[in-house]
Amino acid sequence: LYSSAASDVYKRQGYNEPGPLKRVLAKHGIRTILCLADYGPETPKGRKERAVAGELDVDVLMIPMPGNGVAEFAKLDAAADIIADPAHRPLLAHCAAGVQRTNAAYVAYRMKHCGWSYEQAIAEAEAHWLDRDDNPELFEHLKQYADDLATRKTAPSTKPSMQ
C-alpha cells in the first residue's frame, strides 16, 4: 500500500485478494475504491472486489485503462475528478501492480486539480516506482496530457458573458 502526500485521504496499491483487501479498507476507513485495472465487474477479480466492498459499504468505481497506463485523456480526466472529489474520501486507487495506471491517474489529478506542473507530478510518481526506462511511452503520453490541459485552461470561454 503506497500513500500519497495526503495519506489520510488517498491510498494506492495493486490488486488485493479479499482477505488483504478487507484489512486495508477497514484499517484506513476507505469509502471508495477506484479500480483502474482492465478487468470488468463480472470477472472473478471484479466480483471478489465488489463482494468485499459490499460487505464494508464501500463504493467501487471502475475506469478500465490499458496496462501501460496510456489511457485516453477522457479517462485520465475522469480518474482525476474522482480522486479530487471529497465525497469519495478516503479513497483507494488501484490497478494490477499499483504503478503504471495508478500513477497515471495521480499525475493527472495533481496537474488538473492541484495545479502542479508536469515535472512536479512526475517526480511524485517516480517516488512511487514509476520508471522512465520501464515505460517511456507513458511519460510522453502524460506530457501530452499536460500540454492538452494547458491548452484547455487557456482556451477562450464559449459561455456568454453576464453583462
Side-chain angles (χ1 to χ4, degrees), residues 77-96:
D77 279 341
D81 294 347
I82 289 168
I83 294 167
D85 187 344
H88 297 302
R89 298 179 188 160
L91 177 130
L92 170 68
H94 84 85
C95 54

Side-chain angles (χ1 to χ4, degrees), residues 107 110-111 115-127 132 139 142-143 146-147:
V107 166
R110 291 298 192 190
M111 292 188 299
W116 288 19
S117 69
Y118 168 79
E119 291 78 14
Q120 290 171 308
I122 287 295
E124 180 182 59
E126 288 177 314
R132 289 178 194 269
F139 283 78
L142 292 171
K143 178 64 173 122
D147 293 344

Side-chain angles (χ1 to χ4, degrees), residues 4-70:
S4 293
S7 61
D8 58 329
V9 176
Y10 315 110
K11 303 288 182 195
R12 59 176 93 188
Q13 69 179 31
Y15 172 79
N16 267 330
E17 288 292 328
L21 181 59
K22 281 182 190 179
R23 288 189 292 277
V24 167
L25 297 178
K27 178 180 179 181
H28 299 286
I30 300 296
R31 292 177 58 188
T32 306
I33 297 171
L34 173 57
C35 177
L36 304 168
D38 57 358
Y39 58 80
E42 296 309 315
T43 63
K45 286 182 178 181
R47 284 193 300 272
K48 288 179 194 179
E49 185 167 78
R50 286 185 178 281
V52 169
E55 287 177 33
L56 299 176
D57 198 28
V58 172
D59 293 328
V60 179
L61 304 174
M62 299 183 101
I63 301 176
M65 294 184 180
N68 65 358
V70 180

